[in-house]
DNA sequence: GCATTCTTAAACATCA
DNA sequence: GTGATGTTTAAGAATG
C-alpha cells in the first residue's frame, strides 16, 4: 500500500493557499497612526536585527550568540506595545489566530498572514515537505544533547508540524522505520544514570550528518506547474523565487570556503527548502529551530519568517545577486545518474566544493530576473536541503558492503550498488560495511550548512521586516497624500 | 520504461 | 499482559 499524497491542487484553496504561497497577499494592511508607529518600531527592530546579523557574519557563525540577540530583539519587539507573538498552536494543538485583536494592525500585518500561511501549510493538514529523515534530523539537531528518544522525536515533529497531530498514526511507524533503516541515525547507549524509560536515544551519526544536511539542502520539488517548467514563457504560478537560483548567502563559510564561488540554489528548490512532490505548494518557511532558542522564539522566528518571506512583491529591492548571471552558472544537480555523486560519504564531502562551484548545472533557460529580496535567504535553506539530499542518496548508494572499497571510485554504477546493497538485510549490510575512507574533516562545511539552515529564517525576517516596513511606510505616505 | 528514493503498512521481536 | 520501541520486509508512489 503506497502513500497517497494529497494532490496539491486539491489541497490548495484558491483563496488562501494560492495567494499566500504566491506572495500575492499585500504585505500588510494599511494601518492607522498606531500602525505607523509600530512600523517605525519594526524599522528599528529591523536595524537592530540587521546589526546583530552582521555581527554574526563577522563572527563566522561560530557562535549562535547573535541569534540569541536577535531572538531577544524579536521578543522585545513582540512585547513592546504589540500583541505578543503568541505560539501558533493553541493548547489543544490546533492552530489559530489570536482571538484578541485589540492591538494595532502591525502585528496582524506581521503575523496575521504568517498565521494564515502557517495555517495553510502546517495547520491545515498540509504534509510537511520534508522527508522523515529530515524531520528526524531536525528534531535531533534541535535537542540540546543532539539526541532524542523516539518519543521526543514524535513530540518535536508534532510541535513543529501539527499536520501529524491529525495524521494517521502510521507516521510514527515511519519515523521508527527511518530511524532503524537510515544509518544516518544511530542509537546511543543510554546513560545508566539517565532514565528515559523504554527505548534508546537516537542521535545523528556524525559520519552521515553531512548527508542529512545535504538532504535538507536539496529537496527538489516536483515542477508540476507549467510555470515552473517553462518559466520564460509561462506566467509564474509560484513566486519568482522559484524560478531563480539566487545565491547562497555570501557571508556564509560555504561561500568563503569556495573563494567567493557562490552556491547557486538549484532550480527546483523552493524557498523553504521544501520539496514539492505532487503535494500542494508548501508556502511556509519553517526554519530549523535552534537549540538555544526556545520553542516560543522558534515560533516567532518561524512566524515572522513565514510571513515575511512571502514578500515577493518587492523584487526591485533585491540587492544585486552575487551569483553570476551567466547562463552557464545557473545550475541544477543531476546526481542520480551522475557517477561522481555515487560515491561514499567521504568523497561526497570532498565533492562539496564541487557541489558549490562546479556541479550545479543548468537545466532551465534563464530569464530576465527580478530576484526577491529574501530569495537569497530562503535559498540558503533550500540549498542546504538540496545538498543534503544529494548526500543522502549517495550515502544510500554507498551503503553496501562494498561501499568502502568503492568509495573512491567515481564509477559506481547503479547495478553495482543494487547488487551489493540489496542482497543483505540492512543490519547485516551495516555490519558488513567495511572501513570507510576517512571522512573529510570539513566540519566547517557541516556547521556552515547547519548554520545556513538556521540563518535562513532569521535572515528572511530581517530582510522582510525592512522590506515590508519600507513599503508600508511608502504606502502610508501615498495614502496620506491621497 | 527503468532506477532510485521515499512513504506507508504490516508483522514480529524485544523491552520496560 | 500491555504498550512502546525497534527491526525488517514489502509494496506503491513520486521522481529523475
Amino acid at each position: 500500500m503506497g502513500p497517497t499524497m494529497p494532490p496539491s491542487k486539491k489541497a490548495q484553496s484558491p483563496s488562501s493557499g494560492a495567494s499566500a504561497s504566491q506572495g500575492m497577499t499585500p504585505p500588510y494592511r494599511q494601518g492607522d497612526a498606531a500602525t505607523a508607529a509600530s512600523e517605525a518600531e519594526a524599522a528599528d527592530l529591523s536595524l537592530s536585527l540587521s546589526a546583530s546579523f552582521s555581527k554574526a557574519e563577522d563572527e563566522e557563525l561560530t557562535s549562535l550568540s547573535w541569534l540569541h540577540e536577535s531572538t531577544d530583539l524579536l521578543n522585545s519587539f513582540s512585547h513592546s506595545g504589540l500583541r505578543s507573538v503568541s505560539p501558533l498552536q493553541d493548547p489543544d494543538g490546533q492552530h489559530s489566530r489570536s482571538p484578541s485583536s485589540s492591538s494595532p494592525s502591525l502585528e496582524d500585518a506581521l503575523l496575521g498572514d504568517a498565521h494564515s500561511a502557517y495555517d495553510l501549510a502546517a495547520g491545515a493538514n498540509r504534509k510537511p515537505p520534508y522527508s522523515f529523515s529530515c524531520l528526524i534530523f531536525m528534531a535531533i539537531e534541535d535537542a540540546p544533547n543532539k539526541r532524542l528518544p523516539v518519543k521526543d522525536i514524535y513530540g518535536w515533529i508534532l510541535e513543529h508540524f501539527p499536520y501529524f497531530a491529525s495524521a494517521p498514526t502510521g507516521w510514527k511507524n515511519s519515523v521508527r522505520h527511518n530511524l532503524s533503516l537510515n544509518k544516518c541515525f544511530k542509537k546511543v547507549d543510554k546513560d545508566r544514570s539517565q532514565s528515559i524509560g523504554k527505548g534508546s536515544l537516537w542521535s545523528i551519526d556524525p559520519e552521515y550528518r553531512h548527508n542529512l544536511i545535504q538532504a535538507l539542502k536539496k529537496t527538489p520539488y516536483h515542477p508540476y506547474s507549467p510555470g515552473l517548467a517553462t518559466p520564460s514563457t509561462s506566467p509564474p504560478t509560484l513566486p519568482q523565487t522559484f524560478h531563480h537560483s539566487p545565491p547562497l548567502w555570501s557571508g556564509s563559510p560555504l561561500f568563503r570556503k569556495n573563494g567567493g564561488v557562490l552556491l547557486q540554489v538549484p532550480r527546483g528548490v523552493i524557498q523553504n527548502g521544501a520539496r514539492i512532490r505532487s503535494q500542494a505548494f508548501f508556502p511556509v518557511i519553517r526554519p530549523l529551530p535552534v537549540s538555544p532558542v526556545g520553542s516560543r522564539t522558534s515560533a516567532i522566528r518561524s512566524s515572522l519568517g513565514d510571513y515575511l518571506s512571502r514578500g515577493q512583491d518587492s523584487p526591485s529591492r533585491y540587492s544585486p545577486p552575487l551569483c553570476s548571471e551567466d547562463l552557464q552558472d545557473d545550475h541544477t544537480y543531476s546526481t542520480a545518474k551522475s557517477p561522481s555523486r555515487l560515491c561514499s560519504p567521504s568523497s561526497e564531502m570532498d565533492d562539496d566544493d564541487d557541489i558549490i562551484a562546479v556541479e550545479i548545472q543548468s537545466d532551465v533557460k534563464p530569464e530576465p530576473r527580478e530576484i526577491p529580496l529574501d530569495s537569497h535567504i530562503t535559498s540558503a535553506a533550500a540549498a542546504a536541503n538540496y545538498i543534503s539530499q544529494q548526500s543522502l542518496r549517495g550515502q544510500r548508494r554507498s551503503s553496501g558492503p562494498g561501499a568502502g572499497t568503492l568509495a573512491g571510485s567515481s564509477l559506481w554504477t547503479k547495478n553495482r550498488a543494487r547488487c551489493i546493497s540489496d542482497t543483505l538485510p540492512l543490519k547485516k549490510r551495516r555490519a558488513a560495511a567495511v572501513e570507510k575512507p576517512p571522512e573529510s574533516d570539513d566540519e566547517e562545511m557541516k556547521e556552515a550548512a547547519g548554520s545556513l539552515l538556521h540563518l535562513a529564517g532569521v535572515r528572511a525576517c530581517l530582510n522582510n521586516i525592512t522590506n515590508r516596513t519600507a513599503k508600508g511606510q511608502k504606502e502610508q505616505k501615498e495614502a496620506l497624500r491621497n
Side-chain angles (χ1 to χ4, degrees):
Chain A
M1 189 69 73
T4 54
M5 304 296 185
S8 60
K9 292 176 182 176
K10 291 182 181 177
Q12 216 168 27
S13 96
S15 62
S16 49
S19 64
S21 63
Q22 296 175 17
M24 300 299 292
T25 306
Y28 48 82
R29 292 193 297 270
Q30 292 284 336
D32 50 13
T35 302
S38 299
E39 287 170 352
E41 251 184 287
D44 292 340
L45 170 69
S46 176
L47 290 175
S48 300
L49 288 170
S50 297
S52 176
F53 194 86
S54 297
K55 180 182 177 183
E57 291 180 333
D58 294 340
E59 291 176 355
E60 298 263 358
L61 300 177
T62 55
S63 167
L64 289 178
S65 60
W66 65 274
L67 186 53
H68 289 286
E69 293 180 19
S70 300
T71 303
D72 291 341
L73 286 167
L74 285 169
N75 281 328
S76 64
F77 173 65
S78 66
H79 290 307
S80 60
L82 295 171
R83 199 167 65 235
S84 67
V85 185
S86 57
L88 294 171
Q89 267 187 287
D90 289 338
D92 61 357
Q94 299 301 314
H95 287 271
S96 68
R97 295 167 186 259
S98 174
S100 64
S101 58
S102 57
S103 57
S105 59
L106 178 59
E107 187 200 1
D108 292 335
L110 287 173
L111 300 178
D113 285 345
H115 285 211
S116 294
Y118 190 86
D119 288 343
L120 285 167
N125 293 326
R126 292 292 178 85
K127 186 180 180 64
Y130 303 102
S131 68
F132 278 109
S133 298
C134 292
L135 292 176
I136 297 168
F137 173 53
M138 288 189 288
I140 294 175
E141 283 292 301
D142 199 28
N145 297 326
K146 308 296 182 191
R147 55 189 64 180
L148 281 179
V150 170
K151 195 174 183 178
D152 287 351
I153 295 175
Y154 295 159
W156 188 95
I157 294 175
L158 280 172
E159 178 184 357
H160 293 81
F161 299 95
Y163 158 83
F164 291 103
S166 57
T169 55
W171 68 272
K172 291 183 177 179
N173 191 7
S174 296
V175 169
R176 295 196 304 272
H177 167 83
N178 261 275
L179 286 171
S180 293
L181 196 71
N182 196 329
K183 59 184 178 182
C184 298
F185 309 117
K186 67 176 184 180
K187 282 193 290 186
V188 178
D189 291 336
K190 277 191 290 187
D191 184 352
R192 301 194 186 286
S193 63
Q194 197 178 14
S195 176
I196 64 166
K198 204 184 304 182
S200 305
L201 291 172
W202 290 89
S203 66
I204 306 298
D205 189 335
E207 185 175 0
Y208 297 103
R209 182 171 180 272
H210 170 80
N211 299 349
L212 288 166
I213 291 172
Q214 285 199 333
L216 270 173
K217 281 179 177 179
K218 192 196 157 196
T219 54
Y221 72 103
H222 177 245
Y224 69 85
S225 165
L228 289 174
T230 57
S232 60
T233 57
S234 304
T237 58
L238 293 174
Q240 285 288 317
T241 312
F242 292 18
H243 301 298
H244 305 315
S245 300
L248 188 67
W249 166 50
S250 61
S252 73
L254 282 170
F255 173 75
R256 297 175 185 176
K257 178 181 177 61
N258 288 275
V261 178
L262 281 161
L263 169 60
Q264 292 247 329
V265 176
R267 217 172 293 283
V269 177
I270 64 178
Q271 58 176 293
N272 64 336
R275 172 185 184 178
I276 292 186
R277 307 184 90 153
S278 66
Q279 303 99 313
F281 166 48
F282 194 85
V284 171
I285 295 176
R286 299 288 295 171
L288 182 62
V290 180
S291 300
V293 182
S295 58
R296 182 174 179 278
T297 49
S298 293
I300 295 169
R301 203 169 53 239
S302 296
S303 302
L304 290 171
D306 292 348
Y307 169 78
L308 295 169
S309 62
R310 295 194 294 105
Q312 314 294 339
D313 51 344
S314 302
S316 61
R317 300 181 62 87
Y318 179 69
S319 54
L322 298 172
C323 59
S324 166
E325 290 292 330
D326 189 288
L327 309 190
Q328 300 301 322
D329 291 343
D330 274 340
H331 305 302
T332 291
Y333 289 110
S334 56
T335 58
K337 296 175 181 177
S338 171
S340 65
R341 306 302 304 164
L342 302 177
C343 51
S344 74
S346 62
S347 53
E348 284 176 14
M349 299 282 288
D350 298 337
D351 283 348
D352 279 349
D353 290 348
D354 297 335
I355 289 173
I356 293 173
V358 175
E359 198 168 2
I360 309 169
Q361 301 167 358
S362 174
D363 66 342
V364 180
K365 290 181 180 178
E367 59 180 336
R369 294 182 172 185
E370 286 185 324
I371 301 181
L373 172 66
D374 61 343
S375 58
H376 62 297
I377 299 310
T378 56
S379 67
N385 288 350
Y386 183 83
I387 295 175
S388 183
Q389 272 213 352
Q390 292 295 352
S391 177
L392 255 186
R393 292 179 176 176
Q395 163 253 310
R396 291 195 176 201
R397 293 189 181 99
S398 62
S399 63
T405 55
L406 291 169
S409 170
S410 62
L411 297 176
W412 174 274
T413 65
K414 295 177 186 177
N415 287 340
R416 289 177 72 184
R418 297 183 71 196
C419 290
I420 292 171
S421 63
D422 291 353
T423 54
L424 291 174
L426 174 72
K427 289 301 176 186
K428 293 181 180 178
R429 272 182 270 156
R430 291 183 184 177
V434 292
E435 83 287 355
K436 299 184 176 75
E439 183 182 7
S440 164
D441 58 352
D442 196 355
E443 289 299 324
E444 178 189 11
M445 192 71 175
K446 297 179 182 177
E447 296 304 324
S451 298
L452 284 170
L453 292 169
H454 297 303
L455 287 168
V458 171
R459 184 70 156 180
C461 294
L462 300 178
N463 290 330
N464 283 283
I465 286 175
T466 304
N467 188 24
R468 301 278 183 194
T469 303
K471 181 170 183 177
Q473 289 174 340
K474 182 181 178 182
E475 290 176 349
Q476 280 218 337
K477 289 178 182 177
E478 293 176 353
L480 287 175
R481 281 196 220 105
N482 299 331

